[in-house]
Amino acid sequence: MCLLDIFILSCFIGYFAIWSVTPVLHSPLMSVTNAISGIVIIGAFQALNNIHAQNEAYLLYAAIFFASVNIFGGFYVSARMLNMFKPKDKQDD
Amino acid sequence: MIKTLIALIYSMFIFAINGLSTPYKAYRGNIYAIVAMSIAILWGLFELNPQYLVPSIIALITGALTGIIAAHKISMPNLPQMIALLNGLGGLAAGLIGLTETTNTDYHPLLLLFIISIGFITFTGSIAAFLKLAGIRLFADKDTLQTISLIILILTIISGFYAYHNGGEYLWGFIALLCLWGLLFILPVGGADMPIIISILNSFSGWSTVLVGFSLNNTLLIIVGTLIGASGTILSYIMTKAMNRSLRKIIFSPPLAITDDIPDKNKTIHQGSPQDAAFLMENANKVIIVPGFGMAAAGAQHELANMAKILKTKYNVEVKFAIHPVAGRLPGHMNVLLAEADINPDDVFELKDINQEFQTADVAYVIGANDTTNPLAKAKTDSPIYQMPILEVEQAKKVLFVKRSLATGYSGIDNPLFYANNTLMLLGDAKEVTKQIVANLEE
């Protein structure tokens, strides 16, 4: 399957997955997607393996740093929010 | 083996998003996403050439600490700033990756130019959104800014052609112009349009990930990036629908004209005191609370929860919350604040589910909302908010309007509700007023 096919099919999955999200959780949705946009860190690792000059490595380390802020900041703030939405009777366990 | 791993990772991300369909599954969904991300990072580090391993791990850990500290410190009313900033960093990371790929002839230069463009525009656009949310004032008026940003856009496109053909030095000029344009194009956008702008920037950070995936031939980045892009796009669609405004209008329209057609002689308001408000509410059967950005700005959610609790337990009043889709500065912002104050989610309703209930309500308590309740949206065809779906608070027997002053809302239009006979204005800070009402209710 070529990349374009994967992209198009992903668009459909994204469309249905996102419409199923309840409006109550739209803020956590944004922070979760913030966090998973940090997946681009994989791209930075991959690019590091193919660099031609040392100064490119510095740019990629910076990319890793920013993606990492996204991942950890995004997941942490999502967890904080979703914890508030947890049903109260189950919150103690 | 690696293909199975990739399939596992993206499946878990899709499950995570799907978990957000109900609050009960959502927390577990977040954990799925965390596990998937951990696998992805470990796999990336495992494949990494050992000579880059140590600096990469250092960058990863410092980033992690920065992110966690920021996320720990941010208060829920300031959540939109945090989200805006994270959108920007996602774009920046993608932009930087695109930049390093330019020296490699394997990649198509046009694709790289797109990655760089979207990445850096997302970055500086998000910085502008962050600054606006943090409350900075514009240094020039909106029209001037829009003219300057148009000129810079043209220069950016021209420099893009040079960068495409010659690369090198031109690329840096192109990036500088791009960054400047990103800032200038978001700065004139109004505060109430921020939910839409943040959603768009959110989708940009996803699309830039998709493009990086195309350049590196990486299916995982394409699938996950598309999920993010779809999320931001659909959210901005929902928001524009809820405001009945087109994207073009939000970004390019001149400031909305102030249309004022309420005759001055009718402009008398009925000002009430917290005592009056407490009296009205404790004798009501049903109270609907309508929170807006003013509640977030004042941080009044805990007082509000307290008020609802006393009304329910001491006076046996039915209390419900009504939320307009664009209330606040982030989609779902009000829901988060109410959840923070431990308000039962079963008492919180969306616009379409509660609108007909205002007819049977004795009191509508409007706290920090304005344009989302303005009846002109239905009546006045030339009004800038005409046909924007509103919460029909005017149907309630009595409307209590908590507001700092009589100033118009973001849209610059007057609200006839202020002067209606069944409206009682409670002028003051949302938190203070609610606190005084609570004090009166407790007596």
Side-chain angles (χ1 to χ4, degrees):
Chain A
M1 203 154 64
C2 82
L3 292 179
L4 192 65
D5 295 328
I6 291 174
F7 171 65
I8 303 286
L9 291 176
S10 308
C11 285
F12 283 101
I13 294 172
Y15 181 86
F16 291 110
I18 303 301
W19 276 112
S20 77
V21 174
T22 161
V24 175
L25 295 179
H26 275 165
S27 289
L29 172 67
M30 292 203 109
S31 65
V32 170
T33 51
N34 269 160
I36 64 179
S37 76
I39 192 75
V40 79
I41 201 168
I42 299 299
F45 290 143
Q46 202 179 331
L48 259 181
N49 286 333
N50 306 315
I51 57 170
H52 295 93
Q54 186 57 35
N55 57 359
E56 289 173 16
Y58 297 129
L59 287 179
L60 290 171
Y61 297 144
I64 291 173
F65 171 80
F66 293 125
S68 170
V69 174
N70 248 6
I71 295 170
F72 288 88
F75 280 134
Y76 191 95
V77 90
S78 313
R80 265 184 72 191
M81 270 191 264
L82 293 173
N83 209 15
M84 298 188 246
F85 283 102
K86 260 185 174 177
K88 292 289 162 285
D89 44 302
K90 286 188 187 168
Q91 206 165 41
D92 297 329
D93 60 39
Chain B
M1 170 63 195
I2 281 172
K3 288 209 163 149
T4 332
L5 204 61
I6 292 174
L8 180 74
I9 294 169
Y10 67 68
S11 306
M12 287 179 83
F13 280 132
I14 295 169
F15 273 127
I17 300 288
N18 192 256
L20 294 170
S21 57
T22 65
Y24 307 99
K25 289 193 285 179
Y27 197 82
R28 207 183 317 151
N30 195 38
I31 292 172
Y32 284 149
I34 292 171
V35 173
M37 187 60 82
S38 315
I39 299 173
I41 291 174
L42 289 176
W43 167 57
L45 287 174
F46 181 73
E47 299 259 293
L48 194 64
N49 185 332
Q51 74 181 103
Y52 306 120
L53 197 60
V54 175
S56 297
I57 291 178
I58 292 172
L60 186 72
I61 292 174
T62 45
L65 290 176
T66 317
I68 289 174
I69 291 169
H72 186 76
K73 287 201 166 155
I74 195 85
S75 72
M76 286 300 148
N78 290 333
L79 194 64
Q81 279 98 306
M82 172 95 185
I83 303 271
L85 218 53
L86 290 180
N87 282 337
L89 296 185
L92 180 59
L96 288 172
I97 296 170
L99 188 57
T100 59
E101 289 173 334
T102 50
T103 52
N104 197 325
T105 46
D106 294 348
Y107 307 120
H108 196 286
L110 196 59
L111 180 60
L112 298 185
L113 225 49
F114 269 113
I115 298 176
I116 292 171
S117 309
I118 297 186
F120 284 95
I121 287 174
T122 311
F123 173 56
T124 53
S126 301
I127 298 288
F130 172 81
L131 293 173
K132 287 225 70 157
L133 289 164
I136 62 127
R137 282 158 185 266
L138 295 181
F139 45 86
D141 69 277
K142 202 171 161 175
D143 284 332
T144 323
L145 276 179
Q146 278 176 334
T147 318
I148 299 173
S149 84
L150 187 68
I151 295 169
I152 294 190
L153 176 63
I154 295 167
L155 288 176
T156 313
I157 294 170
I158 296 170
S159 71
F161 279 110
Y162 277 99
Y164 176 70
H165 289 292
N166 309 333
E169 310 280 294
Y170 291 105
L171 193 61
W172 293 102
F174 174 62
I175 291 174
L177 283 167
L178 265 181
C179 289
L180 195 57
W181 184 70
L183 267 176
L184 289 174
F185 128 98
I186 299 295
L187 273 180
V189 174
D193 286 330
M194 271 304 145
I196 301 175
I197 292 300
I198 295 182
S199 307
I200 294 171
L201 292 169
N202 188 231
S203 81
F204 275 16
S205 74
W207 300 130
S208 62
T209 307
V210 173
L211 292 175
V212 173
F214 272 110
S215 75
L216 292 171
N217 215 348
N218 188 322
T219 51
L220 182 60
L221 291 188
I222 293 177
I223 297 170
V224 179
T226 309
L227 273 182
I228 304 156
S231 163
T233 310
I234 290 174
L235 285 178
S236 49
Y237 171 79
I238 295 173
M239 298 295 119
T240 45
K241 273 277 165 211
M243 291 179 98
N244 193 39
R245 266 154 82 62
S246 70
L247 270 189
R248 189 185 58 78
K249 270 191 183 162
I250 288 163
I251 297 169
F252 299 108
S253 78
L256 295 161
I258 296 169
T259 48
D260 188 356
D261 59 352
I262 304 167
D264 276 342
K265 63 179 164 61
N266 293 344
K267 281 195 166 185
T268 45
I269 63 157
H270 310 276
Q271 200 175 336
S273 65
Q275 285 89 337
D276 304 332
F279 177 79
L280 279 167
M281 283 197 275
E282 65 192 43
N283 291 305
N285 288 318
K286 184 167 172 181
V287 173
I288 299 179
I289 298 174
V290 181
F293 178 65
M295 180 197 81
Q301 65 271 29
H302 296 286
E303 277 70 25
L304 202 60
N306 205 2
M307 185 183 94
K309 201 173 124 201
I310 295 173
L311 282 174
K312 269 183 168 174
T313 51
K314 192 170 166 192
Y315 298 100
N316 211 11
V317 181
E318 185 185 359
V319 182
K320 287 184 173 176
F321 292 83
I323 296 185
H324 193 279
V326 293
R329 291 289 183 268
L330 189 71
H333 194 193
M334 291 298 128
N335 299 89
V336 172
L337 295 175
L338 296 183
E340 187 194 14
D342 261 353
I343 288 164
N344 186 348
D346 297 334
D347 294 339
V348 182
F349 296 88
E350 301 295 315
L351 174 110
K352 64 178 189 311
D353 299 324
I354 198 157
N355 235 354
Q356 66 280 12
E357 286 199 37
F358 282 105
Q359 294 163 8
T360 57
D362 300 293
V363 175
Y365 186 72
V366 184
I367 174 166
N370 182 6
D371 290 337
T372 52
T373 63
N374 195 332
L376 283 184
K378 282 188 300 186
K380 199 165 173 299
T381 46
D382 61 338
S383 164
I385 56 168
Y386 180 58
Q387 282 188 336
M388 166 171 148
I390 57 153
L391 287 161
E392 294 169 357
V393 294
E394 81 274 12
Q395 305 271 359
K397 284 202 194 83
K398 204 81 190 168
V399 181
L400 296 173
F401 223 109
V402 185
K403 215 168 173 310
R404 252 179 318 188
S405 69
L406 277 178
T408 52
Y410 153 74
S411 65
I413 30 179
D414 210 347
N415 193 338
L417 267 180
F418 299 162
Y419 316 106
N421 280 326
N422 64 338
T423 301
L424 207 55
M425 297 299 291
L426 303 164
L427 296 181
D429 175 73
K431 190 170 173 174
E432 276 310 306
V433 170
T434 313
K435 216 181 226 169
Q436 286 168 25
I437 294 176
V438 169
N440 278 292
L441 287 173
E442 274 172 341
E443 275 167 17

